[in-house]
Amino acid sequence: MTATAPAAEATVRKSSPGAEGGPRRRTGRIRRVGLPYLLLLPALLLELLVHLVPMVIGIVMSFKELTQFYIRDWGTAPWAGLDNYSVSVDFDGPVGQALLHSFLVTVAFTVLSVGLCWLIGTAAAVFMQDTFRGRGLLRALFLVPYALPVYAAVITWVFMFQHDNGLVNHVLHDQLGLTDKPSFWLIGDNSFVALLTVSVWKGWPFAFLIVMAGLQNIPRELYEAAALDGAGMIQQLRRITLPSLRPVNQVLVLVLFLWTFNDFNTPYVLFGKSAPEAADLISVHIYQASFVTWNFGTGSAMSVLLLLFLLVVTGVYLALTSRGRRTAQ
């Protein structure tokens, strides 16, 4: 009995699932936990190379007195400390005043562009929910401005906004007679209207696409029940459509805000290197401060300030929307 007891105990321990299953379970758990990070590793490396490394270099450049005299070897530029930042936020000086004016123009442009893009895109998406002949073709046509390359789309608007032979002046002045004389759309105060028009024309199909996808998740039974209770189209829109689209709209507005506030391609192609004062967006202003005046230190400081502003606005927006979501739940 004493001789066979250890052998029997060893046999029971060997056949127990916890003896060998423990290390196997730990290995499987490590693989399950580590697999997502392994799959994300290529994207993180690319993000590091494409965005984070230039961002760090730009932050370092913002603390240097980097002008055209140190372009060949920017590492030898003298250390400027916070001088570039103090010059940028000195709103009594010419550099600070110009940056503040550009910031206010960008804020007004972003609010109007995002609001109009959301409004037109939502209206078009709601209209497209009804079934009618040609709906598929109309959806495809709505997405054309978003699918076109930015340069091809904006350069077409440049020709349309020409003073002498542009289509806009031909329609407004020659055919409809709404203006006393042909307007200058690419210079002066009208440049803001031209820039806003191109931005809304190019951006509202994205809002239309996102809202249309969000509408597919709203059950049709809700609208049928509301119609039986006597709710009209406006009441259904207020009580069903907009509350159901709240999570989609929160993400959509944030993405449109970031894209519009940072938009560089549209004003650059529309106006060139020197944008008019009425359409001096902050992205073009930073470009001019860096590559036209060759003061890369000040331009880098402006870029860092813009990054901090966008981070603060994004953080506040996400905090407010998450709090509203928890309150609604």
Side-chain angles (χ1 to χ4, degrees):
M1 293 294 293
T2 58
T4 58
E9 184 178 356
T11 303
V12 172
R13 188 182 301 113
K14 186 175 181 180
S15 61
S16 176
E20 295 183 358
R24 290 180 180 178
R25 284 198 298 269
R26 286 194 295 270
T27 304
R29 190 180 303 111
I30 292 174
R31 289 178 179 177
R32 288 194 302 271
V33 173
L35 181 60
Y37 296 99
L38 183 63
L39 296 176
L40 288 174
L41 184 61
L44 292 176
L45 292 177
L46 289 176
E47 182 73 17
L48 180 66
L49 293 175
V50 175
H51 290 97
L52 295 183
V53 172
M55 187 185 304
V56 172
I57 294 176
I59 294 174
V60 174
M61 290 171 59
S62 67
F63 293 101
K64 287 181 171 291
E65 191 179 344
L66 184 57
T67 59
Q68 66 269 28
F69 303 106
Y70 301 98
I71 291 298
R72 299 189 63 180
D73 190 6
W74 67 273
T76 60
W79 191 261
L82 297 176
D83 292 344
N84 294 324
Y85 291 93
S86 61
V87 170
S88 300
V89 298
D90 183 13
F91 301 132
D92 295 329
V95 177
Q97 287 181 354
L99 181 62
L100 178 61
H101 173 267
S102 177
F103 174 77
L104 295 178
V105 170
T106 307
V107 170
F109 166 75
T110 302
V111 171
L112 292 175
S113 178
V114 172
L116 290 174
C117 286
W118 177 84
L119 181 62
I120 298 174
T122 302
V126 172
F127 173 73
M128 285 295 168
Q129 290 302 108
D130 295 332
T131 303
F132 57 89
R133 181 176 298 179
R135 184 178 65 167
L137 178 61
L138 201 57
R139 284 180 176 179
L141 292 177
F142 282 172
L143 295 177
V144 168
Y146 180 68
L148 284 176
V150 176
Y151 183 84
V154 178
I155 202 65
T156 304
W157 279 99
V158 172
F159 289 110
M160 294 173 61
F161 281 129
Q162 291 299 317
H163 176 265
D164 297 326
N165 53 3
L167 180 63
V168 176
N169 279 335
H170 176 68
V171 173
L172 296 180
H173 176 69
D174 298 337
Q175 294 186 347
L176 300 179
L178 298 178
T179 57
D180 297 334
K181 57 182 179 179
S183 303
F184 289 94
W185 293 101
L186 300 180
I187 59 176
D189 294 337
N190 289 333
S191 59
F192 182 85
V193 179
L195 179 61
L196 181 63
T197 301
V198 177
S199 177
V200 173
W201 177 85
K202 186 170 58 69
W204 78 265
F206 176 75
F208 163 72
L209 184 65
I210 300 301
V211 174
M212 187 173 60
L215 288 174
Q216 305 301 318
N217 295 325
I218 303 178
R220 301 299 302 176
E221 291 79 6
L222 295 178
Y223 293 101
E224 295 174 358
L228 292 176
D229 292 338
M233 184 179 63
I234 302 299
Q235 291 179 334
Q236 293 179 14
L237 182 65
R238 290 181 54 191
R239 303 297 183 181
I240 300 176
T241 304
L242 293 180
S244 301
L245 289 176
R246 186 175 299 169
V248 175
N249 285 328
Q250 289 174 354
V251 178
L252 174 62
V253 170
L254 179 60
V255 172
L256 287 176
F257 167 77
L258 295 176
W259 282 1
T260 307
F261 209 95
N262 285 319
D263 190 11
F264 174 80
N265 295 327
T266 302
Y268 184 80
V269 177
L270 198 60
F271 305 115
K273 295 182 179 179
S274 57
E277 186 177 359
D280 184 23
L281 297 188
I282 197 168
S283 57
V284 181
H285 186 84
I286 293 175
Y287 169 82
Q288 293 174 346
S290 301
F291 294 95
V292 176
T293 63
W294 296 92
N295 196 339
F296 291 96
T298 305
S300 300
M302 294 178 182
S303 300
V304 174
L305 292 175
L306 175 61
L307 174 64
L308 294 177
F309 170 76
L310 293 178
L311 287 177
V312 170
V313 172
T314 303
V316 172
Y317 179 82
L318 292 177
L320 293 177
T321 53
S322 62
R323 181 182 302 176
R325 192 182 306 115
R326 289 195 298 268
T327 302
Q329 291 176 355

